[in-house]
Amino acid sequence: EAQVTQNPRYLITVTGKKLTVTCSQNMNHEYMSWYRQDPGLGLRQIYYSMNVEVTDKGDVPEGYKVSRKEKRNFPLILESPSPNQTSLYFCASSPFPGTYEQYFGPGTRLTVT
Amino acid sequence: ELKVEQNPLFLSMQEGKNYTIYCNYSTTSDRLYWYRQDPGKSLESLFVLLSNGAVKQEGRLMASLDTKARLSTLHITAAVHDLSATYFCAVAPRFGNEKLTFGTGTRLTIIP
């Protein structure tokens, strides 16, 4: 089944403890992206990747890192999480950037205490 | 800085009625996207609009794009309950720049 998977789906952690949220797609898509969704602030793009080894900042990249070493994986790294990174995170992929619809993962609900 | 505004933020309508959601954006753009999100769920892509005058339809939903007015509309025809969801538009500046800016979302509730 064609899909975007994220792990973990739920995570409660403490300030400063490094964590990684994984994102994987099995559709051979070139484009992948991370978003966060917050009440009152809507959806905001964190980082995106046009292809392997090509990443770029979205609107809210501060406090996050990404890497794209393989086409299928696009992990989101929080080196030192803070409470303001408590949010619902979505990963998405698309066959090519720009002209195609995106397929979204199920979301990761992160709480940083 | 690209800004995207949606109107209305909340919409409650009766089944069988027609309505339109508006998405305005502040700077020149190549592409506009529409998404749907059900409560507690992920996002689902609805439409990708790529050029001025583009119109796409899927079932009771029709989206259009006027790049000169920097306006997209999502029209709902003869609404049914299962269209209840939050609808987002998102805009990308130009090909090669894939930074997406989302609208605030329109929470649509269809009342039987």
Side-chain angles (χ1 to χ4, degrees):
Chain A
E1 180 191 351
Q3 59 183 347
V4 178
T5 57
Q6 293 179 229
N7 282 292
R9 295 287 313 278
Y10 303 90
L11 179 61
I12 301 174
T13 189
V14 296
T15 299
K17 186 177 180 183
K18 181 179 179 179
L19 66 94
T20 299
V21 184
T22 65
C23 173
S24 184
Q25 49 92 4
N26 62 0
M27 297 170 278
N28 202 36
H29 286 174
E30 292 198 357
Y31 178 85
M32 297 185 76
S33 185
W34 276 104
Y35 305 91
R36 62 179 288 177
Q37 185 173 31
D38 302 287
L41 294 174
L43 279 148
R44 294 175 292 170
Q45 190 177 41
I46 304 171
Y47 270 97
Y48 62 92
S49 170
M50 306 271 267
N51 212 327
V52 175
E53 303 291 3
V54 181
T55 62
D56 213 339
K57 296 177 181 178
D59 275 331
V60 288
E62 298 80 17
Y64 304 94
K65 283 176 60 176
V66 292
S67 68
R68 187 97 181 272
K69 293 185 170 53
E70 308 165 277
K71 203 170 190 179
R72 63 182 294 128
N73 296 323
F74 191 42
L76 181 70
I77 303 156
L78 285 72
E79 297 254 346
S80 183
S82 62
N84 65 11
Q85 293 179 298
T86 292
S87 187
L88 178 58
Y89 291 88
F90 291 104
C91 178
S93 73
S94 174
F96 298 101
T99 57
Y100 292 82
E101 63 181 47
Q102 290 191 71
Y103 296 80
F104 283 80
T108 295
R109 187 166 292 281
L110 172 65
T111 302
V112 183
T113 61
Chain B
E1 180 190 348
L2 176 57
K3 293 191 187 304
V4 182
E5 288 187 356
Q6 276 183 247
N7 288 289
L9 297 184
F10 300 94
L11 177 56
S12 181
M13 54 190 288
Q14 287 187 312
E15 277 191 330
K17 300 287 189 185
N18 303 334
Y19 209 81
T20 302
I21 298 170
Y22 298 89
C23 175
N24 293 272
Y25 53 96
S26 60
T27 63
T28 304
S29 167
D30 287 315
R31 285 149 295 146
L32 191 136
Y33 304 84
W34 284 98
Y35 300 94
R36 168 184 172 144
Q37 186 178 35
D38 293 314
K41 303 286 187 184
S42 185
L43 283 89
E44 174 191 352
S45 289
L46 294 174
F47 301 109
V48 181
L49 301 169
L50 299 176
S51 60
N52 188 42
V55 177
K56 291 199 173 177
Q57 183 161 7
E58 178 83 26
R60 299 174 189 273
L61 299 177
M62 184 174 72
S64 66
L65 178 61
D66 181 343
T67 58
K68 292 177 183 173
R70 298 177 186 164
L71 171 69
S72 179
T73 60
L74 181 66
H75 187 72
I76 302 142
T77 301
V80 293
H81 181 68
D82 64 7
L83 288 178
S84 296
T86 299
Y87 293 86
F88 294 94
C89 63
V91 179
R94 63 184 180 278
F95 283 104
N97 181 342
E98 301 307 315
K99 195 168 165 180
L100 268 190
T101 301
F102 283 79
T104 47
T106 296
R107 184 176 291 181
L108 174 64
T109 303
I110 310 294
I111 303 165

